[in-house]
């Protein structure tokens, strides 16, 4: 073993493309699956949630209007960058989730491939979910999917990387922007993923990552009037009904699906969940 | 005083031109059993490189290699893994984009600004788009678990050498087929660099085979009993021969053939914008475009004004060195094609149309033809009926929308059409009545991997691109 002491990383939030500490100054200790100390993580506050929503809203216009081809290339770039830091993710997933190295590697590989899966969806959603409407009259009518806006994501508590990628990628693939509250006890792969996003041509603010106590942050996110939708997959069971009620305040779209097997092929449920359908009519005639 | 453009040539060295190129068979570059061909730079008439060609035995070996690759590896590989190979090809084309663009302009004669801004990026995008389909075929609307066909034999033309290779190979691979592709006799070079990329992307041997040669190699390929699917882009004449020869074999066939597109300008159209679209429609790629807007239909009340504007604009087009970044119209691809253009133009004059040719300077060496516009063209003339495949526009007039529709559809072809009007309802009314596979409104010659492309009637059948394009490579 070398005598050299390693340089430890400070795990911070990811807000608007920058890596600040929590405005509250709070941190909380993160341990591995056997309870040994790994690092301190930032403990985000209500104000951090609000800052994150502002950043996500600011990024929405440009990201949602980017061409689907461009978004696809950016998501594919995330896969390339993730692949390059595969070892780091394997170590963090193994430590945080308490799985053997081989299992951790399989989870990381699946997370990389999941970005590729969603990269391919950006320019296919409209052709699969859109339609020309054969209306009974001299009109040309078509319906197209459009992103719903800012999506609040309560990431899965157990699957710290694959689960996170599986809920985040479909949100941004279609042009939404995201505010993610990470797994409370296993937040480190999410912060490292934020570092990948920051170097993958994902514009700042498209993804914002908050670490902290889910039960503290989730109600603020669910109630925030400038959030258009929430994915509750990582919400504590006892909070779900309350969060759904809070979401009703601004008629948010709520994804309530139970936690799936993250290693299975994801389908397009999560893509559909955060899309609006826009119908356009135009007369036809000389 | 006049302000002349200084020459702005792209460096020829970027093309990494090699003295000789070999065919790509079963993962290796090998000598072919056919007589080697010499690929010529149409702008200078100098030989660029010697290229090996395939013999009948080589075609047989390639089809068998493709069959092995299909049975053992590619046909049974999970879609998500196929996708990653195809993404690699897309990225590597983008990485070598400038090299491919310069090589394409050398070999084909098209202006560097077109090969650089259209051909190569669109080729890369086509692979990127189809890579995404490889693991999503269940969502394409053909029922659950659509299966590939097997070995695809593909023959492509010389007008967009790399882009046509991409249009053929990308969907075939995405759907799980393996490929034997024959590039055009006069433009084989970029397809063989694509083969190098495919090798560097570590595609399993035999999944893609590229065999240069002339029409005899193409005939050998499409008629080989080991081929399950034939895709051809080229002339209607050869397309008919292929359709006839495949009759009764059960092979799946798609054809993308000739065209004689009507580009219809109404009196309310923004004329300056329409002039740009007309110029792009017929002079893009020297008019070597199957969907070129070669028949201009102008509403009578604005015909004189539009023609005057058009002649002024066309006079400014720069004809010359394809590698010069300021060149608008490059070289005609071959002496043979140039002779065909001259013959049809002569027929236009003898049949009584009014010829106007741009007074622009034209290089003395190489195959060039100055942009030409025929006025007073009647529907019976050859220049209104036959595909010229060169920088020659035929102008006809109409009075009413119904007459425009009747004239536009008065052709055995049906690949594309253009509409120029400020009125949205009229665009949709016209688009509804055009017997053409692609209709552009207030634009022309737009191509995107997500948008299906292909023709009605004698312009062929089957589509390339989009969800509809997958059907050509699936057993559905």
């Amino acid at each position: 073993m070398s005598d050299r002491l390693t340089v430890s990383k400070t795990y911070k939030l990811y807000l608007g493309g920058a890596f600040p500490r929590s405005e509250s100054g709070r941190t909380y200790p993160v341990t591995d699956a056997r309870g040994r100390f790994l690092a301190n993580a930032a403990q985000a506050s209500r104000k951090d949630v609000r800052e994150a929503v502002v950043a996500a809203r600011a990024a929405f216009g440009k990201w949602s209007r980017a061409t689907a081809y461009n978004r696809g290339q950016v998501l594919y770039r995330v896969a390339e960058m993730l692949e390059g830091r595969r070892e780091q993710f394997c170590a963090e997933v193994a430590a945080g989730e308490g799985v053997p190295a081989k299992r951790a590697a399989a989870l990381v590989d699946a997370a990389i491939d999941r970005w590729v899966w969603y990269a391919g969806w950006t320019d296919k959603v409209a052709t699969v979910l859109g339609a020309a409407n054969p209306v009974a009259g001299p009109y040309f009518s078509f319906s197209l999917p459009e992103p719903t806006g800012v999506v609040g994501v309560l990431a899965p508590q157990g699957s710290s990387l694959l689960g996170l990628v599986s809920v985040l990628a479909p949100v941004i693939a279609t042009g939404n922007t995201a505010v993610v509250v990470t797994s409370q006890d296993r937040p480190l792969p999410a912060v490292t993923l934020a570092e990948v996003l920051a170097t993958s041509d994902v514009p700042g603010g498209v993804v914002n990552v908050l670490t902290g106590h889910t039960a503290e942050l989730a109600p603020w996110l669910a109630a925030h009037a400038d959030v258009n939708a929430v994915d509750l997959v990582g919400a504590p069971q006892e909070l779900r009904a309350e969060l759904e009620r809070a979401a009703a305040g601004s008629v948010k779209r709520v994804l309530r699906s139970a936690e799936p097997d993250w290693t299975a092929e994801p389908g397009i449920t999560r893509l559909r969940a955060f899309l609006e359908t826009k119908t356009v009519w135009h007369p036809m005639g000389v | 005083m006049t302000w002349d453009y200084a020459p702005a040539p792209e460096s020829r060295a970027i093309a990494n031109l090699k003295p000789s190129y070999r065919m790509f068979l079963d993962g290796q570059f090998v000598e072919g059993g056919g007589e080697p061909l010499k690929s010529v730079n149409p702008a200078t008439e100098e030989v660029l490189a010697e290229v090996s060609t395939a013999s009948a035995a080589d075609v047989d070996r390639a089809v068998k290699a493709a069959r092995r690759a299909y049975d053992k590896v590619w046909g049974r590989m999970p879609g998500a893994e196929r996708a990653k190979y195809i993404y690699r090809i897309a990225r590597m084309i983008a990485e070598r984009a400038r090299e491919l663009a310069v090589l394409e302009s050398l070999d084909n004669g098209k202006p560097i600004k077109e090969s650089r801004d259209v051909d190569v990026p669109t080729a890369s995008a086509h692979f990127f788009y189809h890579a995404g389909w490889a693991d999503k075929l269940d969502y394409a609307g053909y029922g659950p678990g659509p299966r590939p066909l097997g070995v695809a034999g593909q023959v492509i033309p010389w007008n967009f050498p790399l882009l046509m290779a991409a249009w053929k190979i990308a969907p075939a691979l995405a759907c799980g087929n393996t490929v034997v592709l024959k590039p055009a006799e006069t433009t084989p070079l970029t397809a063989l660099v694509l083969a190098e990329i495919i090798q560097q992307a570590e595609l399993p041997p035999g999944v893609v085979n590229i065999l240069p040669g002339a029409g005899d190699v193409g005939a050998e390929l499409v008629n080989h009993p080991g081929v399950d699917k034939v895709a051809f882009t080229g002339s209607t004449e050869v397309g008919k021969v292929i359709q006839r020869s495949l009759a009764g074999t059960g092979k799946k066939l798609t054809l993308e053939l000739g065209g004689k597109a009507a580009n219809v300008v109404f009196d309310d159209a923004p004329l300056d914008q329409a002039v740009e679209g007309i110029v792009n429609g017929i002079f893009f790629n020297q008019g070597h475009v199957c969907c070129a807007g070669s028949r201009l239909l102008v509403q009578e009340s604005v015909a004189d004004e539009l023609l005057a504007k058009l002649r002024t604009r066309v006079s400014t087009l720069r004809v010359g060195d394809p590698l010069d970044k300021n060149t608008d119209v490059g070289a005609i691809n071959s002496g043979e094609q140039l002779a065909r253009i001259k013959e049809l133009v002569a027929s236009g004059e003898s049949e009584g149309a009014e010829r106007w040719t741009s007074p622009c300077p034209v290089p003395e060496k190489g195959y060039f033809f100055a942009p030409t516009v025929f006025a007073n063209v009647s529907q019976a003339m050859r220049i209104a009926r036959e595909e010229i495949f060169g920088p020659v526009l035929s102008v006809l007039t109409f009075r009413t929308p119904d007459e425009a529709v009747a004239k536009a559809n008065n052709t055995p072809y049906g690949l594309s059409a253009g509409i120029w009007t400020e009125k949205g309802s009229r665009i949709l009314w016209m688009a509804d009545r055009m017997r053409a596979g692609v209709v552009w409104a207030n634009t022309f010659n737009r191509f995107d991997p997500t948008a299906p492309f292909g023709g009605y009637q004698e312009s062929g059948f089957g589509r390339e691109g989009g969800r509809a394009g997958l059907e050509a490579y699936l057993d559905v």
Side-chain angles (χ1 to χ4, degrees), chain B residues 20 33-34 45 104 146-147 165 179 196 228 236 238-239 261 263 269 283 299 301 309 327 352 355 377 394 401 409 431:
Chain B
S20 68
E45 300 177 49
E104 196 75 302
R147 295 292 307 155
V179 165
E196 199 176 291
D228 303 295
T236 293
V238 175
N263 201 0
F283 300 119
Q299 198 152 20
S301 50
K309 280 176 184 282
T327 293
R355 175 180 175 173
V377 176
S394 301
N409 287 341

Side-chain angles (χ1 to χ4, degrees), chain A residues 226-285:
Chain A
D226 206 23
V227 171
N228 300 94
V230 282
D231 183 344
L232 299 183
V233 71
Q237 200 56 46
E238 63 281 8
L239 271 184
R240 288 194 165 219
E242 184 199 318
L243 293 173
E244 286 189 44
R245 274 192 293 278
S250 58
V251 198
K252 290 180 181 65
R253 288 85 180 103
V254 180
L255 184 59
R256 300 176 299 176
S257 64
E259 190 158 338
D261 171 8
W262 298 116
T263 61
E265 189 189 288
I268 60 170
T269 310
R270 289 196 131 74
L271 285 167
R272 274 193 285 110
F274 306 113
L275 289 171
E276 306 295 328
T277 296
K278 177 178 283 175
T279 297
V280 180
W281 291 69
H282 195 292
M284 200 189 261

Side-chain angles (χ1 to χ4, degrees), chain A:
Chain A
M1 182 131 184
S2 153
D3 288 338
R4 184 179 169 275
L5 187 65
T6 56
V7 177
S8 308
K9 181 163 86 185
T10 306
Y11 288 84
K12 299 195 275 189
L13 307 177
Y14 182 50
L15 280 181
F19 290 91
R21 294 182 169 84
S22 168
E23 64 79 34
S24 67
R26 299 177 302 174
T27 61
Y28 67 108
V30 176
T31 64
D32 70 11
R34 285 192 268 172
R36 288 175 302 200
F37 177 80
L38 287 173
N40 289 309
Q43 188 185 336
S45 65
R46 175 189 180 187
K47 185 150 188 289
D48 292 320
V49 170
R50 290 158 65 176
E51 299 283 358
V53 173
V54 168
R57 177 59 62 192
F60 177 70
K62 198 173 161 203
W63 181 245
S64 61
R65 276 193 296 275
T67 63
Y69 179 46
N70 179 241
R71 281 201 303 273
Q73 290 192 304
V74 170
L75 263 63
Y76 184 79
R77 181 73 173 158
V78 175
E80 289 182 345
M81 294 290 104
L82 234 172
E83 185 86 56
R85 293 172 72 161
R86 189 171 172 276
E87 300 312 313
Q88 187 182 2
F89 280 103
C90 288
E92 285 183 353
V93 168
E97 298 185 18
V99 293
K102 208 173 155 189
R103 171 76 181 150
L107 292 170
V108 173
D109 289 345
I112 297 167
D113 288 356
R114 189 120 316 157
W115 281 108
V116 176
W117 163 264
Y118 283 112
W121 268 115
T122 59
D123 55 9
K124 296 175 187 70
V125 167
T127 192
V128 170
L129 299 180
N133 310 314
V135 294
Y139 295 91
F140 182 64
S141 172
F142 59 93
S143 297
L144 287 176
E146 285 193 357
T148 200
V150 173
V151 180
V153 176
L154 302 179
Q157 297 298 333
S159 185
S160 58
L161 179 68
L162 178 58
L164 170 67
V165 169
S166 301
V167 297
L168 173 61
V171 167
I172 64 170
T174 54
N176 297 291
T177 55
V179 175
V180 181
V181 176
T182 71
S183 163
Q184 178 171 320
D185 297 333
R186 302 170 176 179
L188 303 190
V191 179
T192 306
L193 179 68
E195 293 159 13
V196 165
L197 298 173
T199 52
S200 299
D201 306 330
V202 179
V206 170
V207 177
N208 304 277
V209 178
L210 303 174
T211 53
H213 293 172
T214 309
E216 177 193 354
L217 301 175
W220 299 123
L221 195 56
H224 197 298
D226 206 23
V227 171
N228 300 94
V230 282
D231 183 344
L232 299 183
V233 71
Q237 200 56 46
E238 63 281 8
L239 271 184
R240 288 194 165 219
E242 184 199 318
L243 293 173
E244 286 189 44
R245 274 192 293 278
S250 58
V251 198
K252 290 180 181 65
R253 288 85 180 103
V254 180
L255 184 59
R256 300 176 299 176
S257 64
E259 190 158 338
D261 171 8
W262 298 116
T263 61
E265 189 189 288
I268 60 170
T269 310
R270 289 196 131 74
L271 285 167
R272 274 193 285 110
F274 306 113
L275 289 171
E276 306 295 328
T277 296
K278 177 178 283 175
T279 297
V280 180
W281 291 69
H282 195 292
M284 200 189 261
V286 169

Side-chain angles (χ1 to χ4, degrees), chain A residues 284-286, chain B residues 402 405 409 428-436:
Chain A
M284 200 189 261
V286 169
Chain B
D402 282 322
V405 170
N409 287 341
L428 295 168
W429 184 89
M430 285 290 292
D432 191 44
R433 281 157 181 76
M434 296 284 209
R435 299 281 295 164

Side-chain angles (χ1 to χ4, degrees), chain B residues 5 43 109 111 113 283 286 314-324 326-332 357-372 391:
Chain B
Y5 284 89
K113 71 175 179 188
F283 300 119
Q286 298 73 245
V314 174
S315 304
T316 66
L317 294 177
R318 296 166 56 83
V319 178
D321 180 7
L323 287 192
D324 192 310
N326 292 322
T327 293
D328 299 304
V329 179
I332 302 303
T357 293
S358 170
C360 64
V362 172
E364 282 173 18
K365 217 165 168 222
Y367 312 128
F368 288 93
F369 195 86
T372 294

Side-chain angles (χ1 to χ4, degrees), chain B residues 183-201:
Chain B
E185 188 184 3
T186 60
T187 55
L189 302 187
T190 47
L192 292 168
V193 174
L194 176 62
E196 199 176 291
I197 286 171
I198 284 168
Q199 194 184 44
Q200 288 168 345

Side-chain angles (χ1 to χ4, degrees), chain B residues 167-190:
Chain B
W167 278 27
K168 293 285 176 285
I169 296 172
L173 297 186
C175 293
N177 305 275
T178 57
V179 165
V180 181
L181 175 127
K182 187 196 86 69
E185 188 184 3
T186 60
T187 55
L189 302 187
T190 47

